[in-house]
Structures are given as C-alpha cells and as structure tokens.
Amino acid sequence: MRISVSVPHDEKLLRRTVKFLLRPQLKFIRIMGGVLVVLGLVLVAMDPSDPIAHLAMILGLLFVVAVAPIAVARSMRGVPDVLKHGFHVTLDDEWAIVTYPLAESRFRWAGLGRVVETPEVWYIMFGKYQAVTIPKGPMTEEQREEFAAFVGRLQHTRG
C-alpha cells in the first residue's frame, strides 16, 4: 500500500480531533456532574434551605454543561502553531508519516493501538492520547477502500 494525500488546514477537523481525544475524561466529568445534580436534588428535597444542596446542583450543572466546551477551547488555544497549517500524509505498509511545513511525525504500524473510524476520518491511535487523524475527504474512493482493508488486516492480526 502507498497512499499520499495533502490535507488543507481545517479548524473544524482539528476541533473534532481534540474533542475525540478529550472524550474519556469529559465523560467522567459529566457523570460526576450528574451525580452532583442528583445529590443536590436529594438534599434540596430533604432541606430546601440547605446552601450545600444548591451548590451541589449548580456545580453539577456546570460539570455537565460547561466543562466540555471550556476544555476544548483551552485545548485549542494550546495547539502549537506548527499544527495550524495543512499537512501531507503518506501511508505505506510500514509507516504513517504526517508532514507539516515545519514538522514531521513518523509512526510505525507495529505501534498501533487501535483504529476508530468515523464517517469523516480515521483516528489512528498509537497510545491513549496520541492520535493521527486521517481524513477521508482528500482521498479517492480507491484509496479509502485500500486503507480500510489495510487497517482491517492490521486490527485482525493484532487480535
């Protein structure tokens, strides 16, 4: 396999990748927020004048609603400028190579953790927080099929 495509900078794609990487932590925070809301409701039912009950509900709602957008926004501000340009991705039987104008990353398929496919991209995970985003849009239909088959074989052999 040898696939080589250029990917223009896409702020929305970068934001979706950040959300994808933050999803496990944000899920836990949302669950904890829900627990706080329920706890606050129980406490309010027991004593409507208890300020702790109202505080628990407010904090819980903030955890459920506000933490995710704030975390994504802060993460987006922390993305290095070197990644805020288009990139070129080259995929072959041994390597996934992502080249930006000022940086290059090379990943051996032997280090592959897992692959998550969405309608728009493949997230190639080389660790818990290390993802290479392979957008489907710049690829031809033949390249998408070839890469999907390659990834399927990789995942099958890795068990």
Side-chain angles (χ1 to χ4, degrees):
M1 171 190 71
R2 177 108 175 129
I3 297 172
S4 185
V5 294
S6 291
V7 180
H9 176 65
D10 182 351
E11 192 78 16
K12 290 178 184 176
L13 175 63
L14 186 57
R15 183 173 295 280
R16 284 193 308 266
T17 301
V18 167
K19 284 181 183 179
F20 172 78
L21 291 172
L22 290 175
R23 193 179 63 218
Q25 295 86 353
L26 294 177
K27 181 180 178 182
F28 176 74
I29 290 171
R30 284 187 174 129
I31 290 170
M32 294 307 297
V35 168
L36 278 173
V37 168
V38 170
L39 177 64
L41 288 171
V42 168
L43 292 173
V44 164
M46 290 171 44
D47 181 5
S49 65
D50 185 4
I52 299 294
H54 296 282
L55 179 64
M57 286 191 333
I58 292 168
L59 282 176
L61 287 173
L62 285 174
F63 282 11
V64 169
V65 177
V67 170
I70 292 169
V72 170
R74 291 198 70 191
S75 294
M76 288 297 292
R77 283 193 301 273
V79 170
D81 288 339
V82 72
L83 300 180
K84 294 181 181 176
H85 300 281
F87 62 93
H88 189 87
V89 64
T90 304
L91 309 165
D92 63 29
D93 292 332
E94 189 174 350
W95 294 94
I97 304 167
V98 181
T99 306
Y100 290 89
L102 300 175
E104 179 178 272
S105 296
R106 299 170 56 93
F107 302 90
R108 283 190 189 235
W109 292 113
L112 178 68
R114 65 187 176 107
V115 177
V116 177
E117 183 177 2
T118 72
E120 298 89 23
V121 300
W122 284 280
Y123 293 110
I124 310 300
M125 303 297 296
F126 288 95
K128 195 171 185 176
Y129 303 109
Q130 181 71 47
V132 175
T133 305
I134 311 293
K136 295 178 179 179
M139 292 181 167
T140 65
E141 187 61 37
E142 293 81 25
Q143 288 173 324
R144 282 187 223 125
E145 290 172 6
E146 181 181 13
F147 186 66
F150 175 76
V151 167
R153 285 191 308 273
L154 276 177
Q155 289 184 309
H156 180 72
T157 59
R158 302 197 97 218

